[in-house]
Amino acid sequence: MSSKRKCLSISDKKKIIEEIESGKKKKEVADSFKIPFSSLSIILKQKEAILNTTDAQSSRKKRRLSEFPRIEQCIFTWFNQVRQQNIPVSGILIKEKAKSYAEMFGISDFTASDGWLSNFKKRHNLVFKKICGKSASVDEGMCNDWQIILQDLLCEYDPKNVFNADETGLFFKCLPDRTLTFKNEKCHGGKLSKERVTLLLAVNMDGSEKLRPLFIGKSAKPRCFKNVKSLPVTYRNNKKSWMTIELWNEWLETLNNDMRKQHRKIIIFVDNCTAHNNPPTLSNVRIEFLPANTTSKLQPLDQGIIKNFKLSYRKEIVSEFLACLDNNDSPKVTVLTAIMISHKAWNNVTTQTIRNCFRKCGFVKTIDNEEEFPITLEVDTQHNTLSTVLDDQLTFEDYVAIHDDLAVCGSLTDDEIFASFNNEEGNDEENDEEESFEDPIVTSKEAKLGLHAVLSYLQRHDIDDSVFSSILNLDNTIDKVNLSSCKQSKISDFFKK
């Protein structure tokens, strides 16, 4: 007599994976969940797909696919946007919206029946609830009340496990001679949207760990990415180049997986941006929202960390611009250029600056009399020189502040939602740069010569021993990459066919 097959939910499968990663033996895990070893092996092979499953699907044992997936994707995106604005949504409204999207897709056999609505709600774990009350504006005393709450929260975590994350917009192509064009531009869309990106930056309280930035551009495959296989950031894209619920939740789930592997529990403080309002269930990351309308006082990244990042970014752009002027060349700033400069600028934000900004917001273990250093921005002398060349009356502070009103999230229109799930227009975002700047392919020999030139330059200056170690690591890396790219010849290759 055959035994009854046990059917595990996706949530159970996630628990199995977590126990295996925590170090438990496979046999013990299989026995505790009463499944055969072969089933455990299948679950581990499907690990990536299981971990990427949303919370709405985790309680279910099987994923039931919709007959009209594009319509449902549009409806679910629209529903999330409306819910963020606390607008009541009825079943009738969802059905009418679904019919509208069906017409846009040219699908004539779709019927927004009660049965379809019921299944749609089950597929996405939706329930209708009455919305009561409304958001109250924050009073001045809320910041003081928050400081007391914050102290209780900080008692549960070491400083290295307390993080702050925030998005910031960047006009990555903005050269010093174009500042007047971009100043005070909010850029919700249109022509200038091609000139902007959004970055998600996150750092911990003691400044010992800066998380890998999330870099959100417009093009799925910028031309400058040709032959590029590695980036120092996580690159994602959408038509608006801003943060969305999907990108935020993907970033959180990746962070949660990383923390689970490190056996760490962290808390991350974020603002009430609409993209943050529907986070997934996380095992190793706790989300804590800052009080509404108080981030200018209570968010560490807004106290000078982002400002210093942008200062460093602009200084690099100015240096690039001056170098081009000296060589009678026109400046070229691509998405790849922006990524590399952003990586350098983010690394240049000092530990002391980070600690000062956290301390200014009350992120200290106990209320003490520790000296608080002023957070200042260094004025760039190169920009002053450049202003003279271009007869530009703007200060460097003006140049850094051009992004202050840049939108980092918002709501998509019906046409934009439709376009994002319309396969016929799916390639519009690829290679969507006005100009094509492809870096020449560098051989391993040329890389070696360049590295030796850097070493020769540095040897004539007083530098730290760690720099020489870094150059040696680069030299070894070039050798390893060169070795891995070489194909081993087979004996059959020497015989003519």
Side-chain angles (χ1 to χ4, degrees):
M1 183 176 179
S2 59
S3 59
K4 186 177 180 181
R5 180 184 174 186
K6 183 172 183 179
C7 194
L8 297 173
S9 68
I10 296 174
S11 179
D12 290 333
K13 293 177 181 179
K14 285 185 176 182
K15 291 178 182 177
I16 289 173
I17 293 171
E18 287 177 8
E19 292 196 11
I20 293 294
E21 290 185 345
S22 68
K24 285 190 178 181
K25 293 183 179 180
K26 292 182 179 179
K27 189 176 185 306
E28 293 178 1
V29 175
D31 291 342
S32 65
F33 282 87
K34 298 179 181 180
I35 58 172
F37 196 79
S38 59
S39 297
L40 177 62
S41 299
I42 293 173
I43 292 172
L44 295 178
K45 286 180 182 178
Q46 299 172 343
K47 170 183 169 182
E48 186 175 350
I50 292 171
L51 292 178
N52 288 333
T53 304
T54 63
D55 293 318
Q57 300 159 345
S58 293
S59 61
R60 304 180 58 184
K61 299 184 178 180
K62 291 184 180 180
R63 290 186 61 186
R64 293 182 175 86
L65 300 178
S66 168
E67 185 180 354
F68 304 98
R70 290 190 295 171
I71 294 176
E72 291 208 3
Q73 287 170 334
C74 289
I75 287 293
F76 191 61
T77 301
W78 168 82
F79 178 82
N80 279 324
Q81 289 188 168
V82 173
R83 184 171 57 180
Q84 289 164 22
Q85 301 169 36
N86 284 331
I87 298 174
V89 181
S90 65
I92 295 176
L93 188 57
I94 288 180
K95 290 196 288 184
E96 288 301 316
K97 201 69 179 177
K99 291 178 184 177
S100 174
Y101 282 122
E103 290 180 8
M104 295 176 75
F105 281 113
I107 300 175
S108 58
D109 58 341
F110 171 77
T111 303
S113 62
D114 290 339
W116 170 83
L117 178 62
S118 176
N119 290 329
F120 171 75
K121 288 162 58 180
K122 289 178 182 177
R123 275 190 284 269
H124 298 280
N125 198 27
L126 302 179
V127 292
F128 292 133
K129 295 179 180 179
K130 185 178 180 181
I131 297 178
C132 301
K134 73 176 186 179
S135 301
S137 58
V138 180
D139 56 37
E140 290 295 330
M142 183 164 287
C143 290
N144 295 329
D145 295 339
W146 170 252
Q147 299 293 343
I148 299 173
I149 298 172
L150 180 61
Q151 291 305 309
D152 293 336
L153 292 171
L154 294 179
C155 288
E156 303 177 32
Y157 296 88
D158 291 331
K160 69 176 183 178
N161 292 326
V162 177
F163 286 80
N164 177 216
D166 191 26
E167 296 87 358
T168 184
L170 187 69
F171 282 122
F172 73 94
K173 283 187 177 183
C174 181
L175 300 171
D177 62 337
R178 300 182 65 190
T179 306
L180 288 173
T181 303
F182 290 93
K183 190 171 175 60
N184 298 324
E185 170 63 47
K186 292 185 181 295
C187 192
H188 291 279
K191 183 179 179 181
L192 292 183
S193 64
K194 295 182 180 180
E195 310 283 339
R196 57 79 46 86
V197 295
T198 296
L199 286 97
L200 174 66
L201 302 175
V203 65
N204 64 350
M205 179 175 162
D206 63 4
S208 62
E209 186 175 5
K210 297 170 186 168
L211 298 183
R212 182 186 181 94
L214 174 62
F215 193 102
I216 307 170
K218 184 181 190 313
S219 304
K221 297 177 182 178
R223 291 189 180 94
C224 58
F225 281 11
K226 186 176 181 181
N227 300 316
V228 174
K229 296 182 179 179
S230 301
L231 293 172
V233 301
T234 300
Y235 181 81
R236 294 292 183 268
N237 78 289
N238 57 58
K239 286 185 177 294
K240 294 286 189 177
S241 303
W242 61 23
M243 180 61 78
T244 63
I245 294 176
E246 293 76 19
L247 291 180
W248 170 247
N249 288 352
E250 178 194 358
W251 183 82
L252 283 177
E253 287 171 345
T254 301
L255 177 62
N256 188 66
N257 290 338
D258 291 341
M259 292 300 127
R260 188 174 64 245
K261 291 174 184 177
Q262 298 175 35
H263 306 291
R264 289 172 65 187
K265 298 272 188 177
I266 69 170
I267 184 171
I268 185 163
F269 292 85
V270 298
D271 59 26
N272 287 278
C273 165
T274 54
H276 298 168
N277 291 341
N278 189 27
T281 302
L282 305 167
S283 58
N284 291 63
V285 177
R286 176 177 174 179
I287 305 295
E288 194 68 38
F289 289 99
L290 296 165
N293 305 320
T294 62
T295 54
S296 60
K297 292 184 178 180
L298 300 180
Q299 178 151 256
L301 279 160
D302 284 344
Q303 302 309 308
I305 297 174
I306 289 178
K307 202 79 169 180
N308 274 273
F309 160 75
K310 289 185 175 180
L311 171 88
S312 185
Y313 183 91
R314 288 296 159 212
K315 288 174 70 175
E316 290 296 321
I317 290 291
V318 167
S319 297
E320 291 277 338
F321 195 93
L322 286 172
C324 289
L325 287 180
D326 291 340
N327 296 326
N328 294 320
D329 194 9
S330 58
K332 301 178 182 67
V333 181
T334 65
V335 174
L336 184 58
T337 307
I339 286 175
M340 301 312 297
I341 294 178
S342 295
H343 175 62
K344 182 177 180 180
W346 185 226
N347 285 337
N348 284 343
V349 179
T350 66
T351 301
Q352 188 63 57
T353 295
I354 294 167
R355 289 178 176 175
N356 289 345
C357 292
F358 270 88
R359 189 182 301 118
K360 186 177 180 181
C361 295
F363 283 77
V364 287
K365 278 291 187 178
T366 55
I367 304 297
D368 53 28
N369 296 320
E370 185 177 355
E371 182 182 358
E372 186 174 307
F373 297 94
I375 301 166
T376 58
L377 296 175
E378 178 187 352
V379 177
D380 191 68
T381 55
Q382 282 185 317
H383 183 266
N384 294 335
T385 302
L386 188 63
S387 297
T388 304
V389 174
L390 299 174
D391 193 22
D392 188 349
Q393 298 303 313
L394 290 169
T395 66
F396 191 70
E397 288 86 346
D398 290 332
Y399 184 42
V400 173
I402 62 173
H403 323 269
D404 286 355
D405 294 322
L406 195 54
V408 295
C409 66
S411 299
L412 300 175
T413 64
D414 282 348
D415 288 338
E416 289 166 343
I417 294 174
F418 166 74
S420 63
F421 296 109
N422 185 14
N423 294 334
E424 294 178 2
E425 299 181 13
N427 296 324
D428 287 352
E429 294 177 13
E430 297 188 7
N431 303 323
D432 192 17
E433 287 190 84
E434 292 180 359
E435 299 176 81
S436 174
F437 301 119
E438 294 178 10
D439 289 331
I441 296 176
V442 179
T443 64
S444 59
K445 182 179 179 180
E446 291 171 333
K448 283 267 193 181
L449 290 173
L451 193 60
H452 291 161
V454 171
L455 179 60
S456 178
Y457 170 79
L458 293 175
Q459 285 172 338
R460 291 168 173 77
H461 298 79
D462 185 16
I463 60 171
D464 191 79
D465 289 345
S466 61
V467 177
F468 289 105
S469 298
S470 299
I471 292 176
L472 179 61
N473 288 336
L474 287 173
D475 194 49
N476 290 334
T477 301
I478 294 172
D479 290 336
K480 290 178 182 177
V481 170
N482 188 39
L483 186 63
S484 64
S485 63
C486 295
K487 276 189 174 181
Q488 185 176 2
S489 300
K490 300 178 183 178
I491 192 169
S492 58
D493 295 337
F494 296 95
F495 297 96
K496 293 182 179 180
K497 293 184 179 180

